[in-house]
């Protein structure tokens, strides 16, 4: 009971501090803009956007499944970072143990989306002749499934990348097969994630 009480107080403090930081940055942006200090106004607005990206990332984490097949999520490893210089928001969750750990990364404003969309628009580019890369469709979204075989262990791993407008979702699954990767990908709420991160 004490843990639940402590957790609820901690959550309330975090929510309150986010609101205070956002409001503080908004006031700083307004006063700096009014005072003609455009550099400080811009910095305060970038801070507000970072705060929003982190809040959205945390909401996306809540939407993700707690299990993928038999692999439980490691919520202690969940991570959301924002960086307006490189990308909008980076959301990370992994599943399983170190022996076989699945990773899910979602990057808004990804610089890779343009090249991914170019590959997906030309079917002959998305499918390699040796079978290591192919175009797939998951919940109405086209993606690229890449297969790699470890020459020492002979284990097959897959990486699935799905662009959603300017956001890139990447699922990496070691020691698996194509059907299992696609089954896992279909447990993700991809349309809701796409809507949330736009």
């Amino acid at each position: 009971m004490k843990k639940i009480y402590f957790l609820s107080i901690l959550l309330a403090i975090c929510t309150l501090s986010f609101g205070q930081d956002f409001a503080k940055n908004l006031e700083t942006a307004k006063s700096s803009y009014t005072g003609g200090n455009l550099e400080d106004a811009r910095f305060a607005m970038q801070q507000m956007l970072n705060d929003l990206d982190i809040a959205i990332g945390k909401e996306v984490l809540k939407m993700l499944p707690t299990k993928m097949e038999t692999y439980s999520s490691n919520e202690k490893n969940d991570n959301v970072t924002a960086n307006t210089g490189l990308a909008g928001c980076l959301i990370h969750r992994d599943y399983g143990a170190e022996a076989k750990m699945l990773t899910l990364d979602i990057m808004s404003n990804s610089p890779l989306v343009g090249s991914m969309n170019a590959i997906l628009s030309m079917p002959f580019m998305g499918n390699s002749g040796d079978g290591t890369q192919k175009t797939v469709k998951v919940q109405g979204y086209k993606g690229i499934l890449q297969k790699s075989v470890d020459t020492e262990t002979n284990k097959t791993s897959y990486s699935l990348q799905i662009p959603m407008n300017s956001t890139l979702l990447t699922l990496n699954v070691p020691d698996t097969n194509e059907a299992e990767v696609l089954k896992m990908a279909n447990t993700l709420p991809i349309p809701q994630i796409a809507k949330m991160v736009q």
Side-chain angles (χ1 to χ4, degrees):
M1 183 68 179
K2 286 182 182 179
K3 287 182 181 179
I4 293 172
Y5 179 71
F6 178 73
L7 237 130
S8 60
I9 289 176
L10 185 62
L11 185 61
I13 290 170
C14 289
T15 304
L16 185 61
S17 78
F18 169 76
Q20 289 174 343
D21 286 346
F22 188 84
K24 180 182 158 199
N25 286 324
L26 180 61
E27 280 305 311
T28 302
K30 283 181 185 178
S31 63
S32 297
Y33 181 78
T34 304
N37 187 345
L38 300 180
E39 184 179 342
D40 284 353
R42 180 183 192 149
F43 179 76
M45 290 183 77
Q46 285 176 332
Q47 292 303 109
M48 286 175 13
L49 290 174
N50 284 345
D51 292 343
L52 283 173
D53 282 339
I54 289 172
I56 289 169
K58 289 178 180 178
E59 290 301 312
V60 169
L61 282 171
K62 291 177 189 176
M63 296 185 325
L64 296 178
T66 55
K67 284 189 92 159
M68 278 201 179
E69 294 293 298
T70 59
Y71 307 99
S72 296
S73 66
N74 302 310
E75 292 184 22
K76 66 183 184 328
N77 295 340
D78 284 357
N79 192 18
V80 178
T81 55
N83 182 355
T84 54
L86 173 65
C89 183
L90 291 153
I91 304 162
H92 172 82
R93 173 169 281 176
D94 53 58
Y95 297 81
E98 279 193 39
K100 183 173 179 181
M101 187 173 287
L102 322 171
T103 61
L104 176 65
D105 294 298
I106 302 165
M107 178 188 286
S108 65
N109 297 327
S110 172
L112 300 174
V113 169
S115 58
M116 293 287 299
N117 284 330
I119 291 170
L120 290 170
S121 68
M122 294 181 243
F124 64 90
M125 284 183 67
N127 297 306
S128 65
D130 62 0
T132 58
Q133 179 176 299
K134 69 189 278 188
T135 303
V136 295
K137 207 166 198 181
V138 180
Q139 300 175 40
Y141 291 85
K142 286 183 183 177
I144 294 178
L145 184 64
Q146 293 182 318
K147 170 184 169 182
S148 61
V149 179
D150 188 316
T151 53
E152 292 178 17
T153 63
N154 211 28
K155 292 182 178 181
T156 304
S157 300
Y158 283 88
S159 176
L160 174 64
Q161 294 183 305
I162 301 173
M164 305 171 288
N165 292 330
S166 66
T167 299
L168 183 64
L169 181 145
T170 305
L171 176 63
N172 292 304
V173 186
D175 190 16
T176 191
N177 60 60
E178 181 180 324
E180 187 177 50
V181 174
L182 293 176
K183 188 175 179 183
M184 288 179 189
N186 276 301
T187 66
L188 298 171
I190 295 174
Q192 292 88 341
I193 293 170
K195 186 177 180 182
M196 181 75 77
V197 294
Q198 293 313 318

